Amino acid sequence: MRFFSDNAAAACPQVLEALSEANRLDTAYDGDQWSARLDGAFSDLFGKPVRALWVTTGTAANCLGLAALCPPYGAILCHEFAHIEQDEAGAPGFFTGGAKLTLLQGEGAKVSPEAVEEACERVRPDVHQVQPAALSITNATEYGLIYTPEETAALGDFARSHGLGFHLDGARFANAVASTGASPADLSWRAGVDVMSFGFTKNGGMNAEALIFFRTELADEALVLRKRAGHLLSKGRYLAAQILAMLEGDVWLDNARAANAAAGALAKACGSRLVYPVQANELFVRMSAAEAASLKAQGFDFYDWGPNQVRLVTSWDQDLGAVARLAAAIDAL
Amino acid sequence: MRFFSDNAAAACPQVLEALSEANRLDTAYDGDQWSARLDGAFSDLFGKPVRALWVTTGTAANCLGLAALCPPYGAILCHEFAHIEQDEAGAPGFFTGGAKLTLLQGEGAKVSPEAVEEACERVRPDVHQVQPAALSITNATEYGLIYTPEETAALGDFARSHGLGFHLDGARFANAVASTGASPADLSWRAGVDVMSFGFTKNGGMNAEALIFFRTELADEALVLRKRAGHLLSKGRYLAAQILAMLEGDVWLDNARAANAAAGALAKACGSRLVYPVQANELFVRMSAAEAASLKAQGFDFYDWGPNQVRLVTSWDQDLGAVARLAAAIDAL
Amino acid sequence: MRFFSDNAAAACPQVLEALSEANRLDTAYDGDQWSARLDGAFSDLFGKPVRALWVTTGTAANCLGLAALCPPYGAILCHEFAHIEQDEAGAPGFFTGGAKLTLLQGEGAKVSPEAVEEACERVRPDVHQVQPAALSITNATEYGLIYTPEETAALGDFARSHGLGFHLDGARFANAVASTGASPADLSWRAGVDVMSFGFTKNGGMNAEALIFFRTELADEALVLRKRAGHLLSKGRYLAAQILAMLEGDVWLDNARAANAAAGALAKACGSRLVYPVQANELFVRMSAAEAASLKAQGFDFYDWGPNQVRLVTSWDQDLGAVARLAAAIDAL
Amino acid sequence: MRFFSDNAAAACPQVLEALSEANRLDTAYDGDQWSARLDGAFSDLFGKPVRALWVTTGTAANCLGLAALCPPYGAILCHEFAHIEQDEAGAPGFFTGGAKLTLLQGEGAKVSPEAVEEACERVRPDVHQVQPAALSITNATEYGLIYTPEETAALGDFARSHGLGFHLDGARFANAVASTGASPADLSWRAGVDVMSFGFTKNGGMNAEALIFFRTELADEALVLRKRAGHLLSKGRYLAAQILAMLEGDVWLDNARAANAAAGALAKACGSRLVYPVQANELFVRMSAAEAASLKAQGFDFYDWGPNQVRLVTSWDQDLGAVARLAAAIDAL
């Protein structure tokens, strides 16, 4: 019974079916009929003309987006626990040609306007110091917390008024939408986001992510960088088809709701063990090594996050029986 | 009736089936059971312990391989029509951190030891000039020609004796093996190749390529660069499974034989129109604009390669009826 | 008796004197009174408001200029014998973050509009190929030839009409001005040049070059890159003072005239041995190995340029007696 | 009366004289007789065979050294107030091709082995996180504190046992040697330092710094990078001559002693106002805005370091009368 990572889950049936349907001859790269529909599909979803590029990983989506916002000699402000800082092997530096990440602190990997402001004020505006060029946040955060539209907009206001590009790592954006009930637009461009990655793989996709440009004039350069970074697949239709299948009928939202619901059920059982409120599909739970070992002995698999802490992640296809059993087992500790 | 590019073809049924079988929960990234089998499968194929990494594009495979052989301040010798020079948007420079491509000439995009030697002799061994660090060839070449094991070994000898790494772009390596009847080993490491990309996508895969290190000590750094370049997919099992499915029962070789055979059938019809001998699955055919237009009017689709020249490419699933009809139509011109 | 390189010559007395005068406390970096005068001094010289940055090498000046004109994913068109291709160790790739040099051919290292046009026409305007972004020429060329204002303007017209930035490597710009009698303006911005390096070191400076932006809006980013590349000296006044000393009273022009005159005197002696007409301070001379050895035995030092060819370079301080002796010795061969 | 920065001071007379003596024809780049003596001179100073390269800035020296120790995908551990983090415009990222600075804390910009260890322990040894590759310290630190040989060796031991390269930013190394009375060897290679920058410019040079490789096998690649970064001056003899002049007769040490002594005299006057003990030539002094303004009104110039804090820096040529007057003025506040 796996609660290790939403990366480990299978792809959802709609994705498999879409791959099968797309399995015929068409134009290579992104010249096919599926890729051609991406801009329109996301423009509909966001209620605004956008440009949308498929890529295969969140790291590529994030870093192509950041490269569009930050020059080689600029700094990207982000939380010290941001995925781009912790888990992308320095890819932001690679894609931007050397940009620096300036790290912010805040509970649950959430960034506040105050933290951004303080960081900006520490920088002398001269050629000796690296000047901030972009702000990046993750929603849902790496600790499963949610930025509301208002919180996002406060950051967006700061970014715009200080000339910073605003990037959103949306590896679990679907979970944030499902959790807040807010519209995709309110959680992104209406709050000032310039470019975002929109995750599908953790949410039931096979290997497709979308990079969305709300500032559409940035997309042409990103197309070049995508190719230059080896991310222009020759049979791109298999990525576009996955994404379209998950957008259709709001599969993406249903999947996220299912994952969130499973997390919610576990949250009740965890009670005061929870390090953070559970707002998406991740739980960080205080637990002694002996307790964790006992759960593992009962067949539950999860990540040992640190001393006396474990991480539980639920997926779109989380078995509800397993969820109930884990909840009971935690209760019984 | 499509003779445009082998990139346009569908994936073969074994690949679709493999994706379906792999569609269950497993460890993320390359920690899954399919990825774990890659090294062994390719070691068997090549008769030597190798390290094998999946990636999604030939550009990524080539450039990760080149980055392992060439420092940022080195030069990669390659043909002026090499894919890495013509069609990868400067990706070799991006992945290596700035390495230069030194361009060689030669018929049909083939590189000769003499051309390599001349290029090396033109370089003064001082800090002012960029020193050659690697040699890269493509087999089958961008013009559908084949390097024999002997030809490859002559280049390999030169490379080794001059301290150059030796890279093979094997986007159509399967076609070269099928065409020569030589073993994969004789066309690669026994001829001195250090690292190669082994193409599957053009040959019936969906979006999987293999990067093979014969100098296995180079693979660990490539793993880091793969992640850093955003090419470590979170559900890598779907790539590994494609590759394993095509290795099993020599699907890769059967597919390439089929594509080569279709090209051979067309070659007969083209006769003296051929710009190069047809040794793999590409044909470059002299043809007036009027003739090309006439063929297109009959429903044949292909690439206008240049003034009075067209390119025909055959795929693993090329319809034999369409091949016969195109042959007849060319004959009738 | 040295005819090896103008890099080998001493600094002229005005430069030494200026260093001595600048040898007092002032503000660090480029905040001093000498640096503050550079923009004005060059604006006067060029008859137009320009921005001028000191750097210590021609490579830095060229590559900071090119980085202002060409993105990491662009191509710089230049002659195959250009200094930026042959003698800067790949620095253009380093400073631009990976830009490619597309090489042109032409007699005496001169670039023609036709060659530029052909190179541009070979590039498909898609994401697979590296798109041209800038044109770079050297005046005087690496073979001592001169572009006239008209020739420069023809290239400038092509560049502007095709959206290419136009860079001039002016390591020996002074020699070109002295040779043509044209104004600095006619040989640069009036002919469409956007940015140029203006060499002083080969012409009697100690270690100072100027980077001139005619498109002044490009200079602010170059200031950042100069610092980032370690080229912002903490006591920059010693560079600015050298340059100002050579601008004052046209020392730069007198020095170049002296070097050109010495070359002219040798040119007469060389007659039909000359590979190219002598228009600046370099001579490429046909000469057998035995002849070259004989001259060296007589105490003349120079560069063996290739089989049966030598290069002679004259400097601002070339001893006229030595010039006469070399002329006589060549005559006597 | 200037206490702003040792960068603002004049060059010492021995340097001017050396430039004058070197002002004659010699071989270009680093082929001259002065450059040829550098390795030997520093090998004598350090009591061990070393390789020494001249460069013009501390940023270039630091970053070429770091590039020799850290791959593009590695991390350099340094203090959060290190010059390479705060004042080099991201140059470490540029020279290394994207390496990351991992920031450590500690009083007075000093790094402790414990801080280094903690930082290393936070890194998971996988491809997702950037792995530490080098440790960099500054002696004297950016706050004027000194590492003793023992403190340096403790860090060197950690570095060696954890496979980290060890870099020393010695912009004010002379001040550290003068302050500790330790030998250059004890403060560098005997304590495990692999490569260091040895500053001359702040200590009475004009524009010359030395990059010293104790691991001499790293120097050849640095020679290439120096050229590639535009830092190979064509008349390098003027840099080498400066350095040799300051090494001869221990001018470098006398200059540093003079600067340290001036700082010591001020330290007495500052008493409990001092934020850190004064161990080299910098003082950080608590002072209200009104007090600072009063001093400035009396003709003293210095840097407002932060709220209620100023920085005083003394130079090799600090006027002792001015020092006495400033000491008295502080006393009188």
Side-chain angles (χ1 to χ4, degrees), chain D residues 13-252:
Chain D
Q14 298 90 336
V15 160
L16 264 285
E17 197 181 332
L19 289 175
S20 190
E21 280 174 19
N23 195 36
R24 44 179 131 127
L25 184 146
D26 202 317
T27 303
Y29 302 110
D30 57 355
D32 61 275
Q33 55 173 299
W34 293 269
S35 299
R37 290 166 49 204
L38 275 195
D39 282 358
F42 281 104
S43 295
D44 289 349
L45 182 70
F46 283 102
K48 172 193 169 72
V50 306
R51 296 280 298 277
L53 284 66
W54 44 251
V55 286
T56 54
T57 66
T59 295
N62 283 333
C63 294
L64 289 170
L66 291 169
L69 296 179
C70 184
Y73 49 82
I76 298 159
L77 303 168
C78 69
H79 196 279
E80 61 180 328
F81 299 144
H83 197 267
I84 58 172
E85 161 67 12
Q86 290 288 335
D87 289 289
E88 301 194 351
F94 181 58
F95 279 80
T96 58
K100 168 183 168 179
L101 301 189
T102 297
L103 305 183
L104 312 174
Q105 298 184 314
E107 267 301 283
K110 279 187 78 171
V111 167
S112 68
E114 293 70 32
V116 180
E117 187 166 13
E118 268 175 49
C120 288
E121 280 173 0
R122 273 197 300 272
V123 181
R124 299 188 315 265
D126 63 29
V127 300
H128 301 268
Q129 295 209 315
V130 180
Q131 302 300 310
L135 168 64
S136 176
I137 65 168
T138 309
N139 197 11
T141 74
E142 288 74 9
Y143 282 104
L145 297 188
I146 299 295
Y147 290 90
T148 63
E150 294 71 30
E151 289 170 328
T152 310
L155 291 162
D157 286 347
F158 183 90
R160 188 172 42 250
S161 66
H162 287 71
L164 303 176
F166 192 11
H167 168 261
L168 172 61
D169 177 348
R172 294 189 181 94
F173 185 68
N175 304 88
V177 172
S179 173
T180 57
S183 74
D186 283 345
L187 282 170
S188 60
W189 67 269
R190 281 210 196 98
V193 172
D194 296 312
V195 54
M196 71 176 286
S197 58
F198 193 130
F200 289 89
T201 308
K202 289 177 193 290
N203 193 32
M206 181 180 283
N207 48 26
E209 309 280 298
L211 170 60
I212 313 289
F213 286 96
F214 301 112
R215 286 173 52 193
T216 52
E217 74 278 12
L218 299 176
D220 282 341
E221 190 179 71
L223 288 172
V224 175
L225 292 178
R226 179 175 66 171
K227 169 68 194 179
R228 181 171 167 80
H231 283 286
L232 180 62
L233 272 67
S234 59
K235 298 180 177 176
R237 56 195 181 278
Y238 297 105
L239 301 189
Q242 291 181 50
I243 294 171
L244 294 170
M246 288 185 67
L247 290 179
E248 197 172 351
D250 285 345
V251 171
W252 66 281

Side-chain angles (χ1 to χ4, degrees), chain A residues 50-75:
Chain A
V50 306
R51 296 280 299 275
L53 283 68
W54 43 251
V55 286
T56 53
T57 66
T59 295
N62 283 333
C63 294
L64 289 170
L66 291 170
L69 296 179
C70 184
Y73 48 82

Side-chain angles (χ1 to χ4, degrees), chain A residues 29 71-73 97-99 127-128 130 220-221 223-225 227-228 232, chain C residues 29 71-73 97-99 127-128 130 220-221 223-225 227-228 232:
Chain A
Y29 303 110
Y73 48 82
V127 300
H128 301 268
V130 179
D220 282 341
E221 190 179 73
L223 287 172
V224 175
L225 291 178
K227 169 67 195 181
R228 181 170 167 82
L232 179 62
Chain C
Y29 304 108
Y73 48 83
V127 301
H128 300 268
V130 180
D220 281 342
E221 190 178 72
L223 288 172
V224 175
L225 291 178
K227 169 68 193 179
R228 182 171 166 82
L232 179 63

